[in-house]
Amino acid sequence: MNATLIDEETRSSTRDGVEQLGTEICALAGQIAAATARFLTLLAKFDEDRGWTGPGLHSCAHWLSWKCGMSLHTGREYVRVAKALRSLPEMRKAFEQGRLSYSKVRALTRVTTPSNEKQMVRFGCEAPAAQIDRLAAGLRKATDNESGKTKAPAHLQVRWHWDSDTGEFVIKGRLPAQDGARILAALALAERERTRTTATVPADETATKNPVGNIGPGLVAMAELATAAAADPTSKAAANEVVFFHEADSVRIPSGPALSENDAEEVLCNAKLRLGTTKDGCVLNLGRRTRVVSAKQMLALNYRDGCCRTPGCGRTRFLHAHHVKFWGRGGNTDLDNLIMLCGTCHRALHDGLFTITALGEQKFEFRYADGDVIDPAPPTEGFADDLLRGDVPDDAIVPAWGGEPLHLDHAVSVILDGWAA
């Protein structure tokens, strides 16, 4: 009898302990949601003010990867959600109160607009995250099928010219939709290759996605891929060499503008170019095709560096062998003076956004323009003890769900009818 009572007391004590653990886990989940909401509010402002810009940094997601230890995919999602929440105050409020988790908010922001926000927030607070994912996917599929069509213009053509005021290259025009789709696919491939930071493409990134934002860098990368693919392997001559003319102490593009000093130093630093000499508009010689860095040196650099060495960058494609002491200023072509940079970082360096110092024995130091050292891997800092606050109830994150199944087709139909009303 006494043994039975002891067993019951033990089981009761164990149940109480487990329930207490569950309560604390839910409480922490709510606190994490509230802290994430605050984090995304700050991130949206930080991105809007372009606080992430700097040497070797190409986006706010890239800054998060470097400074906060996130993957690029996670960083991109955080930035997307942060931007979406700026126009969804009701959802942001529920998020800050710990009633919506980040997983729910991430899914809901793909289908929520200011007009249907209250309805979607209510669904988010009542249904579990798995159902919210299915519901959001169903709504996206239904709305994607209702896309409209626009009439094609009568004249479709693309033209280019050099801007006489700035010397910049200008492209303007229109193409048929089917040709635009091919170009977008090529741009997506080029952008993926340009920004790759791993030796192989992850399985979840093999699908072609339309490029977003500025397509200029991807267009340049696509040109590099095209010229490399068009080269005749049986010939020593390149199919489409890049030629620059050197005349009157300046470097210019044939039939194009002269380059600034920084741009000239950048092209002279490149590993592959042909530099011609002219006088009074006449070509004196076209010179040999210059390859400043030998094949063995490039192989050694690839083994040593493997990626762009700018702290926070890490790109593995379209790399340049940069002379730390510029080649045009007498820098030696040896491994103590060579370092791998991606095209974006190479240009930023020549624009004076940061500097590199060779320390000897193939060691290098990066500094901002103001002289501060760029930390290759800055540590993250946090205050875990400050996370728990009294303004988020312990059960805020727990949905008001009674176990009902989700009838997806019916739910999507009802929601779409409500949006159309």
Side-chain angles (χ1 to χ4, degrees):
M1 185 67 179
N2 291 335
T4 303
L5 289 174
I6 292 174
D7 289 344
E8 287 294 335
E9 290 175 357
T10 301
R11 282 195 291 268
S12 177
S13 177
T14 301
R15 284 196 300 271
D16 291 342
V18 171
E19 289 177 0
Q20 184 177 356
L21 285 176
T23 300
E24 186 173 354
I25 289 171
C26 290
L28 281 170
Q31 298 289 348
I32 290 171
T36 305
R38 172 63 177 164
F39 168 79
L40 293 181
T41 299
L42 297 176
L43 183 62
K45 177 62 176 174
F46 185 74
D47 183 52
E48 182 184 33
D49 295 342
R50 295 183 64 83
W52 52 266
T53 55
L57 299 174
H58 314 291
S59 66
C60 191
H62 205 176
W63 183 90
L64 288 171
S65 176
W66 175 39
K67 286 281 192 177
C68 301
M70 301 178 185
S71 69
L72 282 174
H73 175 74
T74 301
R76 293 188 190 104
E77 274 297 282
Y78 272 129
V79 173
R80 180 192 67 79
V81 176
K83 290 180 177 179
L85 284 173
R86 301 202 74 173
S87 60
L88 302 172
E90 293 293 329
M91 184 172 293
R92 187 171 66 250
K93 180 180 179 180
F95 197 11
E96 291 171 347
Q97 293 173 344
R99 295 188 293 125
L100 288 178
S101 68
Y102 171 71
S103 295
K104 290 183 178 181
V105 171
R106 181 180 60 185
L108 289 171
T109 49
R110 297 186 181 277
V111 294
T112 304
T113 64
S115 61
N116 63 28
E117 181 186 10
K118 290 185 178 180
Q119 181 186 31
M120 302 311 292
V121 169
R122 179 170 57 82
F123 286 143
C125 293
E126 293 178 353
Q131 290 189 2
I132 295 298
D133 285 338
R134 291 179 58 202
L135 183 64
L139 289 170
R140 290 181 66 191
K141 182 178 180 180
T143 54
D144 286 347
N145 292 334
E146 299 176 359
S147 58
K149 296 182 179 180
T150 57
K151 185 178 179 180
H155 301 286
L156 300 172
Q157 57 185 356
V158 177
R159 297 182 178 274
W160 65 270
H161 68 273
W162 301 105
D163 189 304
S164 58
D165 295 327
T166 64
E168 295 169 338
F169 185 66
V170 180
I171 303 175
K172 184 184 297 184
R174 294 175 181 267
L175 286 174
Q178 61 271 27
D179 292 342
R182 294 188 184 96
I183 291 176
L184 283 176
L187 279 171
L189 172 63
E191 183 67 11
R192 189 183 68 200
E193 290 296 297
R194 185 182 74 88
T195 59
R196 190 201 300 181
T197 57
T198 58
T200 57
V201 179
D204 60 347
E205 294 185 10
T206 54
T208 301
K209 298 179 181 178
N210 287 344
V212 296
N214 178 21
I215 65 171
L219 194 63
V220 175
M222 187 169 68
E224 292 189 35
L225 287 172
T227 52
D232 184 357
T234 63
S235 173
K236 294 183 179 180
N240 290 284
E241 288 184 321
V242 179
V243 178
F244 298 94
F245 282 153
H246 184 271
E247 69 178 6
D249 297 325
S250 66
V251 176
R252 68 175 178 85
I253 299 171
S255 302
L259 302 180
S260 67
E261 182 179 355
N262 289 340
D263 292 341
E265 287 181 335
E266 179 189 341
V267 299
L268 291 175
C269 191
N270 206 333
K272 299 177 183 178
L273 60 88
R274 186 185 292 275
L275 187 64
T277 305
T278 65
K279 182 179 180 180
D280 298 330
C282 299
V283 179
L284 301 181
N285 66 77
L286 199 54
R288 292 186 303 167
R289 183 169 177 263
T290 303
R291 186 178 180 88
V292 180
V293 181
S294 70
K296 289 184 177 180
Q297 286 175 321
M298 286 296 294
L299 182 61
L301 283 172
N302 281 318
Y303 274 116
R304 188 193 73 187
D305 295 345
C307 64
C308 176
R309 288 283 298 276
T310 306
C313 182
R315 288 182 172 174
T316 58
R317 300 282 287 162
F318 304 109
L319 302 179
H320 301 169
H322 168 69
H323 290 70
V324 176
K325 181 180 179 181
F326 295 167
W327 182 58
R329 299 180 185 180
N332 295 327
T333 305
D334 56 43
L335 295 180
D336 283 340
N337 191 48
L338 292 172
I339 193 169
M340 299 297 279
L341 299 177
C342 71
T344 303
C345 293
H346 197 183
R347 178 157 300 172
L349 172 75
H350 283 281
D351 286 342
L353 299 183
F354 67 99
T355 62
I356 306 175
T357 303
L359 304 178
E361 298 182 354
Q362 301 185 34
K363 296 180 180 179
F364 306 91
E365 183 178 68
F366 288 74
R367 290 182 177 270
Y368 293 108
D370 61 7
D372 291 342
V373 176
I374 305 177
D375 193 338
T380 56
E381 297 179 356
F383 306 95
D385 293 340
D386 295 339
L387 183 60
L388 289 173
R389 302 191 307 270
D391 55 347
V392 178
D394 290 348
D395 60 349
I397 200 71
V398 181
W401 179 53
E404 303 86 355
L406 173 66
H407 301 288
L408 184 60
D409 292 342
H410 175 69
V412 169
S413 177
V414 170
I415 293 172
L416 290 178
D417 288 343
W419 290 359

